[in-house]
Amino acid sequence: MHTTRRNFLKAGGLLAAGAATGLSVIPGELFAATPAETALPAGEGAFMLPPLGYAYAALEPHIDARTMEIHHTKHHQAYITKLNAAVEKEPSLKGKTLEQLLGNIKLTPEAVRSDIRNHGGGHWNHSFFWTIIGPVQGAVSEKLTAAITRDFGSMVLFKEQFEKKSVGVFGSGWGWLVKDAKGKLSIISTPNQDNPLMDIAEAAGRPILGIDVWEHAYYLNYQNRRADYLKAFWNVVNWQKVSELYES
Ligand SMILES: [Fe+2]
């Protein structure tokens, strides 16, 4: 059995146990995993739903358990199912990693291009999102603090700008903090399930923080109050992970 599949199955059990007891379950090896590590390449059968690494109730009251469960098991799974169907239709895509697929949207055969863009993007974005939120926040590293201060003025000013950009996304999409090759930070947004890894993205850079502002991410708890969801988001950001991504 493939290691990733073994971890997935193991984590599924831990996650179920955590959800049943209401306890937070944070298996270290899984919590540290990146989207690229948790997703199987298409050539090995299919992309799979990565575990959260914590219980659905672990982010309450900021993000409620029902939202987390539906978001993870229904919405995220649906992107994966449709991504796998698109890869299955186009033999030239089999065996490619998720990042290879997203980095070559322009060259993707037209028949499946929008499916790869929307559902491949949806899979990457959600896999990433689960890792940069969590019940343990950790600290912002000195290097990341210095970069935020340099590029935005202060942490307070950064949060204001990030909230403004993300609240302002028209319709559905994502807000991102990205780092370019020189370590400079920028705040950008993308529509739908687009992300900065795609070769169609306006701004290149590696995401180190992101927020899902689709209504499915917050509507049960916040209804139309996206700004309140943004404020609550800061209570569940895993700054240790974001700092690691900045310094990697
Ligand atoms: Fe979502």
Side-chain angles (χ1 to χ4, degrees):
M1 186 183 288
H2 189 283
T3 303
T4 306
R5 180 169 168 74
R6 199 163 54 232
N7 285 347
F8 171 80
L9 294 173
K10 186 172 144 195
L14 287 168
L15 200 60
T21 59
L23 297 172
S24 300
V25 180
I26 312 169
E29 61 175 327
L30 298 165
F31 206 56
T34 66
E37 290 163 345
T38 52
L40 281 175
E44 294 192 55
F47 292 100
M48 292 169 64
L49 186 68
L52 290 186
Y54 43 84
Y56 292 125
L59 309 184
E60 290 197 342
H62 312 293
I63 303 180
D64 63 283
R66 182 85 174 124
T67 294
M68 286 300 293
E69 183 174 6
I70 295 172
H71 202 173
H72 183 241
T73 63
K74 306 295 184 191
H75 292 284
H76 188 174
Q77 180 60 59
Y79 292 118
I80 295 168
T81 302
K82 290 172 183 171
L83 169 64
N84 286 336
V87 171
E88 198 58 38
K89 267 192 248 172
E90 178 48 56
S92 68
L93 301 182
K94 288 188 182 177
K96 295 195 185 302
T97 66
L98 185 54
E99 296 202 7
Q100 286 170 337
L101 292 175
L102 300 182
N104 291 285
I105 295 289
K106 285 180 187 168
L107 299 174
T108 303
E110 199 174 347
V112 295
R113 190 182 305 151
S114 63
D115 281 347
I116 298 295
R117 177 178 180 174
N118 293 331
H119 305 306
H123 180 29
W124 194 94
N125 295 348
H126 288 86
S127 300
F128 175 80
F129 188 53
W130 309 137
T131 70
I132 58 89
I133 59 176
V136 178
Q137 294 208 270
V140 186
S141 71
E142 284 184 19
K143 282 184 182 173
L144 179 55
T145 299
I148 285 173
T149 304
R150 179 195 66 210
D151 295 330
F152 304 107
S154 68
M155 179 60 89
V156 171
L157 290 171
F158 156 68
K159 287 183 175 177
E160 281 178 13
Q161 292 172 52
F162 187 85
E163 287 177 33
K164 187 177 176 188
K165 190 76 171 178
S166 304
V167 168
V169 171
F170 181 75
S172 301
W174 290 75
W176 304 99
L177 175 63
V178 299
K179 159 186 115 153
D180 73 12
K182 293 181 180 172
K184 184 180 185 318
L185 296 170
S186 308
I187 296 168
I188 65 166
S189 64
T190 55
N192 305 312
Q193 295 296 353
D194 286 0
N195 68 38
L197 278 66
M198 294 178 177
D199 58 351
I200 51 171
E202 284 180 26
R206 190 83 193 172
I208 65 168
L209 179 70
I211 183 164
D212 184 346
V213 293
W214 283 60
E215 284 189 344
H216 69 227
Y218 62 87
Y219 204 83
L220 287 180
N221 209 14
Y222 297 95
Q223 292 80 53
N224 62 331
R225 304 189 310 278
R226 184 186 281 179
D228 289 351
Y229 161 64
L230 256 295
K231 291 267 183 236
F233 171 69
W234 300 120
N235 294 300
V236 298
V237 171
N238 179 348
W239 284 110
Q240 182 183 331
K241 180 70 182 176
V242 175
S243 298
E244 286 168 12
L245 289 170
Y246 178 71
E247 292 177 25
S248 65

